[in-house]
Amino acid sequence: MEKISKIGFGGGCHWCTEAVFQSLHGVVKVEQGWIASIAPYDDFSEAVIVNFDDSIISYEVLIEIHLLTHSSSSDHSMRDKYRSAVYYFDDKDIVNLQDSIARLSVENNTQYITKILPFQQFRLNVENQLNYYSKNKQGPFCQLYINPKLTALRNRFTSRIKEDF
C-alpha cells in the first residue's frame, strides 16, 4: 500500500523546480506556486509542493536532487524571490531533514545555505503557468534553463527519471 507524503522545495524558478520533480518516479503530484513560512521567511517565495510515494522515492533522494538542481550553496540578490528552502509539514521530519542536508554537505564538500522551514501558506500559480515544461518543452526558457537540469538528473539519477519525460 502506497503512503503519500509531501514536502516543499524552493530555490530556483518554480517552472524549473516543477519540471525537475515531475520527472521522477514516485512523485505523484507537484503543485507549483509560492510558499511562505514563519518570520522572517513569511513572505511568499517561488516553490513547489511535492507529493510522493515514499516506498518508491525517499525524502533523502528528493533533497539530494533539490540541492543539485538549484544554487543551493550561494547567496545572491534574488534570494527573496528564490529562497533556498525545504519546507516540512510535520515537526517529526525536522531532524531527518537536518541530518540529510548535513550528510550531503559533507559528501559533496559543500556548505549549503538551504533553510529547513515549517510550511505555513501556499498560493498556487495561475492555470496557464502550471505544468510549464510539459506545455513548452521547445520554448527558449525550457531549452536554456530546464533542459540542462534534466540532463544533469539523467546523468546522476538515471533510474529515477521517468522514461517519457
Side-chain angles (χ1 to χ4, degrees):
M1 183 172 149
E2 75 180 30
K3 177 183 174 239
I4 304 301
S5 299
K6 63 182 175 177
I7 189 168
F9 292 110
C13 166
H14 50 201
W15 294 341
C16 295
T17 310
E18 176 188 55
V20 162
F21 289 105
Q22 285 177 333
S23 75
L24 301 172
H25 290 293
V27 171
V28 296
K29 180 180 177 185
V30 179
E31 300 168 82
Q32 180 234 108
W34 296 266
I35 293 179
S37 185
I38 57 173
Y41 307 105
D42 52 346
D43 53 321
F44 282 96
S45 182
E46 291 193 21
V48 298
I49 297 173
V50 176
N51 297 265
F52 63 100
D53 180 342
D54 61 11
S55 70
I56 298 172
I57 193 165
S58 67
Y59 277 115
E60 292 80 13
V61 171
L62 292 169
I63 290 168
E64 185 174 6
I65 287 169
H66 179 58
L67 296 175
L68 172 70
T69 56
H70 80 283
S71 298
S72 55
S73 62
S74 65
D75 216 357
H76 54 72
S77 63
M78 298 295 287
R79 272 294 165 222
D80 288 339
K81 181 177 181 180
Y82 304 121
R83 180 182 307 122
S84 182
V86 175
Y87 299 94
Y88 60 88
F89 289 81
D90 190 328
D91 289 345
K92 72 174 177 50
D93 295 326
I94 297 170
V95 171
N96 289 336
L97 297 172
Q98 290 170 334
D99 289 348
S100 291
I101 291 176
R103 178 184 54 77
L104 290 164
S105 182
V106 170
E107 284 178 14
N108 298 322
N109 194 29
T110 302
Q111 184 62 43
Y112 294 110
I113 63 163
T114 305
K115 308 277 188 237
I116 299 169
L117 300 170
F119 173 87
Q120 292 295 306
Q121 295 180 42
F122 179 73
R123 285 193 336 225
L124 187 66
N125 205 345
V126 295
E127 180 63 36
N128 71 340
Q129 298 296 307
L130 301 177
N131 301 303
Y132 188 85
Y133 181 74
S134 63
K135 294 175 184 174
N136 300 286
K137 286 182 182 179
Q138 300 309 312
F141 183 89
C142 294
Q143 295 294 314
L144 188 62
Y145 296 105
I146 298 175
N147 282 343
K149 293 174 190 292
L150 295 174
T151 298
L153 279 180
R154 284 185 192 98
N155 291 337
R156 189 158 171 188
F157 296 93
T158 304
S159 65
R160 301 228 180 249
I161 306 300
K162 296 173 184 171
E163 295 77 24
D164 60 346
F165 206 84

